[in-house]
Amino acid sequence: MTEMKATQIHTYGNPDVLVYEDAPRPEPKADEVLIRVHAAGVNPADWKIRQGYLQDKFPFPMPLILGYDVAGTIEAIGAEVTTLKLGDAVFAMLPLNQLGAYAEYVVAQAAIVALKPASLEFATAAGIASIALTPWQALFDLAELQAGQTILIHGASGGVGNFAVQFAKWKGAIVIGTASTSNIEQIQQLGVDRAIDYKTQRFEDHASNVDVVLDTIGKETRQRSWQVLKPGGILVSTEGAAEPVEVPSANVRGVPIFVEPKGSVQLQQIGQLIDQGQIQPPQIETFPLSTAAEVHDMLQNQHRHGKFVLQVV
C-alpha cells in the first residue's frame, strides 16, 4: 500500500487530536481523479467536524482526514474521466461527507473539479472554493438576483460576504453591506453602494424595501432583517444548519443555503471572472500542513479572522 503524509484525527476532540502522520494514499475510481494536493483551505466547519459537533449529520469512520477546499495537480485519472488530463492545475470543493484535503493526495469526482484560475497561486485557489460557491449559489440559484435589484449583505467583510458583494456588483445589483467599524473601508473598496457600521448604526434605519437579504450572522440579526424585505423578497441564510429558517409572514420567503460542490461549471465561471480581473479573491495566510492543530486553535479559540490555508507542496 502506497503511503502519504496527512493530518488526521483518530477521535473527536480539541485541536491536539490532529496528528501529522503517514496514511494510505487513495486510489481514484472510474469517475474520479487523484489530486496531488498543493494546498488545502481551512474553514470553520473543519473545527466543528473535528470537535464532533456534526457527527450526527456526517458519521465519519476513523481515522479521518479533514478538509474540503483543495488545489493541486492531477496525478492520476479514472477510466471514465474525459474532462481533465494529467498535470492539469485544478481546484475544488470536496463534498462534506467525503473530506480528505489535509493530505499529500486526495481523490475527487471529476465532475466537481475545475481548472485553477491561471492568475492565482495554488494557495489562494485552495482558500476560495467553498466561500465563493456559497454566495454564488445563494445569490443566483436561490435568490435569482437580477440587475437593478437591491441586496443587503450581512457580514460583508467576511470570506462569503467578500465574494457576495463582488458577485452582486458584477450582476448589476445595488449593494448594501454591514460590517464593523474597522472593516467599513474594506467593504467600500469592494464596491458596496452603502456601507453600514453595525457597531454604531441600526441597519434597519438605513435599508428598506430590499429584494434580497444574505444573512451570514443568524440570531437577532436575522430576526431584524425580515422587516427590511419588500413583499415577495427573499432572505437566504448561511446559518441554516445552526438555526432553521422560520419565516414570520406569508409575504416574504426564507431559505437556508447548504453549499454544494458544483465545481466544474460554477467554479469554472468564478475562475474566469477572477482571471478577467472582475473578482478579487481575499488575502490568505499560509501555514505548513503539519501545523493544522495550531491553525485550528487560532480559528476556534483565538477567534483569529482571515482566510487560512495549509501549504502541502
Side-chain angles (χ1 to χ4, degrees), residues 91 111-120 128-129 132-133 135-137 139-141 163 166-167 170-171 260 262-280:
F91 72 139
I112 65 167
V113 176
L115 294 174
K116 179 183 73 65
S119 59
L120 294 189
I128 67 172
L133 283 172
W136 185 276
Q137 293 170 17
L139 269 56
F140 304 137
D141 294 353
F163 277 107
Q166 296 184 78
F167 292 156
W170 167 74
K171 191 70 174 177
E260 294 176 24
K262 299 178 180 176
S264 56
V265 178
Q266 294 183 344
L267 270 185
Q268 210 71 55
Q269 285 178 283
I270 292 165
Q272 287 166 357
L273 290 174
I274 290 171
D275 276 345
Q276 291 163 7
Q278 300 201 51
I279 302 293
Q280 300 294 326

Side-chain angles (χ1 to χ4, degrees), residues 1-6 23-29 32-37 65 75-77 94 98-101 103-108:
M1 182 182 291
T2 313
E3 298 217 303
M4 63 175 181
K5 287 292 185 189
R25 181 174 133 174
E27 293 294 328
K29 300 187 181 112
E32 292 179 333
V33 292
L34 178 70
I35 299 172
R36 183 176 189 229
V37 179
I65 301 172
E75 184 85 4
I77 288 180
L94 306 172
Q98 177 196 334
L99 307 181
E104 290 181 317
Y105 295 91
V106 69
V107 292

Side-chain angles (χ1 to χ4, degrees), residues 2-258:
T2 313
E3 298 217 303
M4 63 175 181
K5 287 292 185 189
T7 294
Q8 58 186 359
I9 63 174
H10 293 262
T11 181
Y12 293 116
N14 292 324
D16 58 7
V17 299
L18 285 159
V19 187
Y20 180 68
E21 61 189 354
D22 290 327
R25 181 174 133 174
E27 293 294 328
K29 300 187 181 112
D31 63 345
E32 292 179 333
V33 292
L34 178 70
I35 299 172
R36 183 176 189 229
V37 179
H38 286 235
V42 181
N43 294 292
D46 294 356
W47 71 256
K48 292 172 185 172
I49 292 169
R50 186 211 72 234
Q51 203 74 41
Y53 294 157
L54 302 181
Q55 58 184 303
D56 292 342
K57 193 172 174 66
F58 303 112
F60 293 107
M62 295 288 174
L64 171 64
I65 301 172
L66 294 172
Y68 53 87
D69 277 344
V70 64
T73 50
I74 301 293
E75 184 85 4
I77 288 180
E80 295 170 6
V81 176
T82 57
T83 52
L84 296 161
K85 61 185 190 299
L86 292 176
D88 277 347
V90 296
F91 72 139
M93 175 196 162
L94 306 172
L96 285 179
N97 60 0
Q98 177 196 334
L99 307 181
Y102 292 11
E104 290 181 317
Y105 295 91
V106 69
V107 292
Q109 281 196 310
I112 65 167
V113 176
L115 294 174
K116 179 183 73 65
S119 59
L120 294 189
E121 303 281 339
F122 282 101
T124 305
I128 67 172
S130 63
I131 61 169
L133 283 172
T134 299
W136 185 276
Q137 293 170 17
L139 269 56
F140 304 137
D141 294 353
L142 295 176
E144 298 179 341
L145 183 70
Q146 303 296 320
Q149 288 188 321
T150 300
I151 180 170
L152 169 63
I153 298 170
H154 288 303
S157 66
V160 168
N162 180 302
F163 277 107
V165 169
Q166 296 184 78
F167 292 156
K169 290 300 293 179
W170 167 74
K171 191 70 174 177
I174 299 156
V175 182
I176 305 168
T178 68
S180 63
T181 314
S182 58
N183 291 321
I184 287 293
E185 190 178 335
Q186 178 198 333
I187 68 171
Q188 287 170 331
Q189 289 171 351
L190 282 176
V192 297
D193 297 284
R194 194 180 313 155
I196 298 173
D197 180 348
Y198 70 78
K199 297 272 192 189
T200 62
Q201 299 170 299
R202 287 178 65 80
F203 66 82
E204 56 270 54
D205 296 336
H206 300 271
S208 61
N209 218 33
V210 306
D211 298 278
V212 180
V213 172
L214 180 63
D215 160 41
T216 68
I217 310 294
K219 301 190 173 65
E220 182 214 356
T221 299
R222 183 197 296 171
Q223 295 312 317
R224 289 163 50 204
S225 295
W226 297 111
Q227 62 189 289
V228 308
L229 277 173
K230 66 166 56 166
I234 184 170
L235 178 147
V236 184
S237 179
T238 63
E239 297 299 295
E243 182 189 354
V245 180
E246 294 178 5
V247 183
S249 73
N251 67 353
V252 291
R253 294 177 297 146
V255 290
I257 168 72
F258 297 112

